[in-house]
Amino acid sequence: MQKPPIAKKIPFEMTLHGETRTDNYYWLRDDQREDPAVLDYLHAENDYGRAIMQSQKALQEGLLKEIIDRIPARDHSVPYVRKGYRYQSRYEEGNEYAIYTRQPENTTTPDQWDVLLDSNQRAAKSEFYTLGGVSITTDNKVMAVAEDFLSRRLYGIRFCDLETGHWYPEVLENVSSSFTWANDGCTLYYVLKDKQTLLPWQVWRHTLGTTQEQDQLVYEEKDDTFYVGVQKTTSEEFIQITLHSSTTSEILLLDATRSDAEPQLFCPRRKDHEYFLDHYQQHFYIRSNREGKNFALYRTTDFAETSWETVIPAREEVVLEEFTLFRDWLVVEEREGGLTGLRQISWETGKEAAILYDDPAYVTWLSINPSPETSKLRYGYSSMTTPDTLYELDLDTGERKTLKQSEVKGFDPSHYRSERLWITARDGVQVPVSLVYHRDHFRQGKNPLLVYGYGSYGSSMDADFSASRLSLLDRGFVFALTHIRGGGELGQQWYDDGRLLNKMNTFTDFIDTTQALVDKGYGAADKLYAMGGSAGGLLMGGVINMAPDLFSGVVAQVPFVDVLTTMLDESIPLTTGEYDEWGNPADETFYRYISQYSPYDRVTAQAYPHLLITTGLHDSQVQYWEPAKWAAKLRALKTDDNLLLLCTDMDSGHGGKSGRFKSYEGVVLEYAFLIALAQETLSAANAN
C-alpha cells in the first residue's frame, strides 16, 4: 500500500497581540515556485492522489466522455451588431478554444466570416490560455487583445491591424483585463498591475505603434484597499476610471474624444458609499446606495451630487443590481426574495412591465446590448432544469423570441425536478436553498446529497443550469445550493450579516441548512457531502472544524484557509483589498475573531471526513501554499483513517485548466471522488 506523504516540520513562529502561533509548514511557501523541496512535496501528494484514484480510472474516463458527449462538437454564439459589423464566436470540432469572427452588417455573403482571432492558434504553445478581452477601435481598424498564458491573471495586450492582419510589435505587459480605446483609433487606456501584490493600481495611456516605456501615467491609486478599472460609457463620450473596495467606490471621467484628457472626479469617495455610472443622451445615470443599502437609480446632467434626480428609489426588499439604457426604454435587473428579475420602463410614459418566469429557482440577466438605438432587448435565462437560453424582447411590442438555447445532448428536462426551500437557521433567520434531483432516482432519506456553498463578497450563487452536474443527478445525487449569509442573494444586509465580525453566520448557516435538508429527507445522513471553492473553500474548512461528523466527504476547491497569516502579509496578492471582507488582523478585535474560524489555525486532533483538496501552482487568488499547508497539518493531526487527497495542477491557477473540454478534467476528478465514496468503492487500500 502506498503511504501518504508526510511533510517535514520546520517551526516558524509569529507573535502578535501577545500570542505566538507556530506554523510548522510555513516552509511550503515559495513565491518563485522553484524550490525543489516544495515541488517534490507537491508531486508526492499528486502521486499519492493518482494511486488512490487509480481504481476509479474507468469511472473518471466514463464521466469525462459522458460530459463531453453532451456538448455539441460544433457551436457558435448568436451574432450581434456593433458599428456596422456583425460579430460571432464559434467552436469547430475538436477545438478547445473559440474562434472570433466578424462580417460587414450589410454583407451580400452572409456565410462568409472574417477571422479576427483563432484562440486555438494563440494557445498552441502553452499549457494554459485565457483570452481576457477584445476591444476594437471605433473606426473598426485595430483590435487589442489581452491574453494570459500562465494563469496568474497577469495579461499581455497585443494589437492587430485588421486591414492587413499584421500584429504590431509592442506588447503591454503585467496588465489587467480592463482596457478600452479612446475615440481617435490609436489611444488605448489600460490598467497596470503591481508585480508583487497583483493589485490593479495605475491607469496608463498607450499610443499605438509606440513602446510601453513611452506610455503616460494617467492615474495612480494610493490606497491599496482599492481596485482600479477602466470602461467606456454607453454614449462613448467618456472613459471611466473606476475605483472600488468591497464597500466604497469612486469614479473619474476622461473625455474619450481627447488623447490628452485629464481625469475629472465625478463624486468623491466616502466610506460605504458605492456608486456605478453610465452616460447617455446628455445625462449621467448613477446606481448608488447613498439613500438605501439596496441601491437607487439617479439621473443628472452635471457632476454635482446635489443635482441627482431620483429615477428609482431605494427599496427595502428589492435590490437594484444592474441597468441598461435604451433610446426609449430603461431596463433594470433587480433581485427580490433572492431571485433576479427584469423590468422595462418607458422614458416617455413611465409605463412599465416585468418579465415573468415559471421555475421555482432560476436566474436571468442582461445580455450583450451594444446599441441603445433599438427597441430590441437581449437577455439570458437559466434554471436548474433549463439550459442557458438567450431571448430577444421587442420592448415596444412585447414580442419575444428565442434566439438560442444551449444544446445539451440527451437531456430531457421532464426527468428532473427543482425546488426552492426556506430553512430557519439557529438564530431564526430564513435562509433560501435551491435543489435539483432526478425524479426517477429520488428516494426519501436515501439519496446521496451534495451541498454547495460560498457566502462571501456579496456574490450571489444563482440556481443556474449545469450540464456536467447531470452526471451526479443521473447517479441519484440530490444537489443543493445554499444561499447563505455573506452572499448577496438577499441584498446588502445579507452580505453585511456574513462578513467581518458577522462571518460566523456563514458557517452556521451552512451547517444548519445542511442538517435541515437531511431532516426533511432530501439526503441520507451517511451519504452527505459538501463542496465549495476559494472563499467557499474557506467555508468547507471552517465547517469541518466546527462540525467534523456532519459530512462523509468534502471537496475543497482552491480553498482560502490560512486567513490570519495571509491577511497579515501585505505582500501576498490581493491581501489589502480584502480588509473590508475579513477585517485587518493587525487590529486585535479582528485578530481574535478571525482566530475563531480560520481553518488552518483551527485544525485539531479529531476525526475529519474524507477530503479532496485542489489547488493550482500558479493561483493568483489563493496561493497554492495555503491548501498545501492545510493538507499537511490535517494529515499530521487528524485521528481518522479517512482519505485526504491534495491535488495540485502544476500548469494552472485559480480557475483550473483552460479549454472547452480540458476544463472538465478537474470536475471529473471531483465527481469520481464523490461517486466512489457514495458507492463505497474508494479507500486507502486502493493505493496498492
Side-chain angles (χ1 to χ4, degrees):
M1 181 187 299
Q2 181 167 334
K3 299 286 187 181
I6 302 299
K8 62 184 177 182
K9 295 181 180 180
I10 304 177
F12 181 85
E13 293 186 348
M14 295 167 282
T15 301
L16 186 66
H17 304 308
E19 177 181 281
T20 297
R21 292 181 300 130
T22 301
D23 185 350
N24 290 321
Y25 306 104
Y26 191 89
W27 67 271
L28 283 169
R29 173 178 176 175
D30 172 27
D31 288 38
Q32 280 67 50
R33 294 155 171 80
E34 297 173 347
D35 186 326
V38 172
L39 296 176
D40 286 348
Y41 172 72
L42 297 178
H43 283 301
E45 286 282 7
N46 282 347
D47 291 342
Y48 175 69
R50 276 191 290 269
I52 291 291
M53 294 301 294
Q54 179 63 30
S55 66
Q56 308 303 317
K57 184 177 180 180
L59 173 60
Q60 288 182 258
E61 291 175 348
L63 284 168
L64 186 59
K65 183 178 186 306
E66 68 185 53
I67 290 173
I68 291 176
D69 283 349
R70 295 189 190 109
I71 304 170
R74 298 166 61 91
D75 200 5
H76 60 80
S77 66
V78 177
Y80 66 88
V81 174
R82 184 181 183 89
K83 294 189 180 301
Y85 280 87
R86 186 176 292 107
Y87 291 87
Q88 184 182 66
S89 61
R90 70 172 190 265
Y91 288 98
E92 297 293 352
E93 187 168 354
N95 280 358
E96 287 283 357
Y97 302 97
I99 300 170
Y100 297 88
T101 63
R102 76 172 181 178
Q103 62 181 200
E105 180 183 5
N106 57 358
T107 182
T108 58
T109 54
D111 294 332
Q112 183 175 328
W113 294 83
D114 297 321
V115 174
L116 296 173
L117 188 80
D118 186 338
S119 298
N120 300 282
Q121 295 178 1
R122 306 291 294 174
K125 296 181 180 179
S126 176
E127 286 294 325
F128 182 91
Y129 178 82
T130 294
L131 181 65
V134 176
S135 182
I136 294 175
T137 53
T138 53
D139 60 9
N140 294 313
K141 293 181 179 180
V142 181
M143 173 179 66
V145 298
E147 299 169 302
D148 175 11
F149 294 93
L150 187 62
S151 191
R152 288 286 284 169
R153 301 189 184 182
L154 276 173
Y155 295 89
I157 296 179
R158 294 166 174 81
F159 303 90
C160 181
D161 185 323
L162 296 179
E163 294 183 320
T164 66
H166 293 143
W167 290 83
Y168 284 77
E170 71 259 29
V171 179
L172 310 182
E173 301 283 10
N174 298 317
V175 303
S176 78
S177 58
S178 181
F179 58 100
T180 189
W181 290 100
N183 294 345
D184 62 0
C186 65
T187 301
L188 184 92
Y189 290 94
Y190 66 93
V191 177
L192 194 70
K193 284 190 169 186
D194 183 279
K195 290 182 181 180
Q196 174 65 32
T197 66
L198 304 187
L199 277 172
W201 69 305
Q202 292 177 331
V203 177
W204 289 77
R205 180 163 44 219
H206 175 74
T207 301
L208 192 64
T210 64
T211 65
Q212 187 172 11
E213 289 72 25
Q214 295 172 274
D215 291 350
Q216 296 174 297
L217 179 64
V218 175
Y219 177 81
E220 179 176 306
E221 177 55 49
K222 303 293 187 182
D223 187 337
D224 59 10
T225 67
F226 276 74
Y227 297 86
V228 180
V230 292
Q231 64 186 55
K232 197 177 268 188
T233 60
T234 295
S235 67
E236 299 195 348
E237 294 179 27
F238 296 98
I239 291 168
Q240 302 182 54
I241 298 176
T242 60
L243 314 165
H244 64 92
S245 68
S246 296
T247 60
T248 304
S249 56
E250 182 177 76
I251 294 174
L252 299 99
L253 295 174
L254 294 159
D255 185 340
T257 66
R258 296 177 58 91
S259 61
D260 60 350
E262 293 295 324
Q264 304 295 314
L265 179 62
F266 182 78
C267 178
R269 71 185 68 172
R270 58 180 181 271
K271 184 174 173 54
D272 295 330
H273 179 217
E274 292 184 87
Y275 70 95
F276 305 85
L277 186 69
D278 202 357
H279 181 265
Y280 179 56
Q281 292 182 326
Q282 288 75 56
H283 283 85
F284 293 103
Y285 293 85
I286 310 103
R287 185 173 73 92
S288 162
N289 66 350
R290 70 172 188 174
E291 295 179 308
K293 284 191 172 186
N294 287 339
F295 291 89
L297 184 66
Y298 304 92
R299 177 169 59 185
T300 184
T301 56
D302 56 45
F303 285 24
E305 189 176 348
T306 54
S307 68
W308 292 9
E309 166 197 354
T310 302
V311 178
I312 299 175
R315 292 151 292 172
E316 190 71 28
E317 303 296 332
V318 182
V319 185
L320 177 61
E321 290 202 334
E322 191 60 81
F323 66 94
T324 293
L325 303 170
F326 292 90
R327 180 189 58 223
D328 301 322
W329 295 91
L330 166 68
V331 180
V332 293
E333 180 182 317
E334 299 168 320
R335 186 181 292 272
E336 185 173 10
L339 296 173
T340 53
L342 300 178
R343 186 162 56 104
Q344 64 181 89
I345 305 166
S346 168
W347 289 121
E348 182 178 354
T349 66
K351 177 185 174 182
E352 61 179 70
I355 301 172
L356 302 178
Y357 314 96
D358 297 325
D359 290 299
Y362 61 86
V363 59
T364 186
W365 62 92
L366 294 164
S367 187
I368 299 175
N369 292 281
S371 173
E373 306 296 321
T374 181
S375 64
K376 304 292 180 64
L377 165 74
R378 289 187 177 184
Y379 69 94
Y381 177 82
S382 179
S383 77
M384 288 180 148
T385 57
T386 308
D388 289 5
T389 309
L390 181 64
Y391 292 106
E392 185 173 82
L393 174 69
D394 191 316
L395 298 168
D396 292 341
T397 67
E399 179 185 357
R400 185 182 79 168
K401 61 181 179 181
T402 303
L403 297 181
K404 181 181 180 181
Q405 184 171 86
S406 296
E407 180 184 354
V408 183
K409 295 181 178 180
F411 170 68
D412 183 345
S414 68
H415 291 170
Y416 305 87
R417 183 180 181 188
S418 175
E419 296 185 40
R420 189 171 178 85
L421 308 177
W422 290 84
I423 292 174
T424 303
R426 64 189 64 183
D427 60 357
V429 169
Q430 293 282 299
V431 180
V433 177
S434 301
L435 298 121
V436 65
Y437 52 84
H438 196 293
R439 292 176 184 271
D440 296 340
H441 300 324
F442 183 72
R443 302 287 184 270
Q444 185 81 9
K446 303 294 186 183
N447 295 73
L449 170 62
L450 174 60
V451 187
Y452 188 92
Y454 188 74
S456 291
Y457 302 107
S459 296
S460 297
M461 297 290 105
D462 288 308
D464 60 0
F465 187 80
S466 167
S468 61
R469 188 193 299 145
L470 298 176
S471 292
L472 291 179
L473 306 185
D474 291 349
R475 288 172 172 81
F477 274 76
V478 175
F479 178 82
L481 179 61
T482 58
H483 309 288
I484 51 184
R485 280 175 282 186
E489 290 89 344
L490 296 178
Q492 181 70 26
Q493 190 61 52
W494 197 249
Y495 172 39
D496 289 344
D497 288 346
R499 69 183 181 98
L500 297 176
L501 300 177
N502 295 319
K503 188 61 194 172
M504 289 297 288
N505 287 332
T506 303
F507 305 103
T508 55
D509 280 359
F510 192 82
I511 293 169
D512 294 349
T513 53
T514 298
Q515 188 60 62
L517 290 172
V518 174
D519 294 342
K520 292 175 182 293
Y522 285 101
D526 61 346
K527 293 186 177 181
L528 186 55
Y529 308 99
M531 181 186 289
S534 195
L538 162 66
L539 173 67
M540 296 299 103
V543 163
I544 62 173
N545 283 332
M546 295 168 62
D549 299 327
L550 183 58
F551 296 98
S552 297
V554 169
V555 177
Q557 307 154 312
V558 292
F560 173 44
V561 286
D562 192 12
V563 187
L564 271 181
T565 302
T566 291
M567 294 307 299
L568 285 167
D569 189 341
E570 296 183 4
S571 72
I572 293 177
L574 310 183
T575 289
T576 55
E578 305 279 286
Y579 289 152
D580 287 332
E581 184 70 26
W582 318 105
N584 185 348
D587 179 326
E588 186 172 0
T589 299
F590 287 112
Y591 180 92
R592 299 297 177 196
Y593 190 81
I594 293 171
S595 296
Q596 296 178 52
Y597 67 79
S598 177
Y600 184 64
D601 294 280
R602 301 297 292 180
V603 171
T604 188
Q606 63 180 0
Y608 284 92
H610 295 287
L611 288 169
L612 170 61
I613 303 168
T614 67
T615 186
L617 182 64
H618 301 289
D619 197 329
S620 61
Q621 310 301 109
V622 178
Q623 308 302 307
Y624 78 86
W625 55 79
E626 290 201 32
K629 289 167 48 179
W630 185 44
K633 189 173 183 180
L634 281 164
R635 207 182 286 291
L637 291 178
K638 72 189 189 79
T639 59
D640 57 84
D641 293 324
N642 290 330
L643 289 171
L644 169 57
L645 307 182
L646 171 67
C647 298
T648 304
D649 190 315
M650 306 302 285
D651 297 311
S652 73
H654 201 59
K657 293 184 182 297
S658 62
R660 188 183 185 210
F661 303 115
K662 284 176 63 178
S663 61
Y664 286 109
E665 292 178 11
V667 174
V668 162
L669 172 65
E670 295 160 2
Y671 283 8
F673 180 76
L674 294 170
I675 292 167
L677 289 179
Q679 296 175 346
E680 299 181 349
T681 60
L682 189 62
S683 71
N686 295 138
N688 282 334

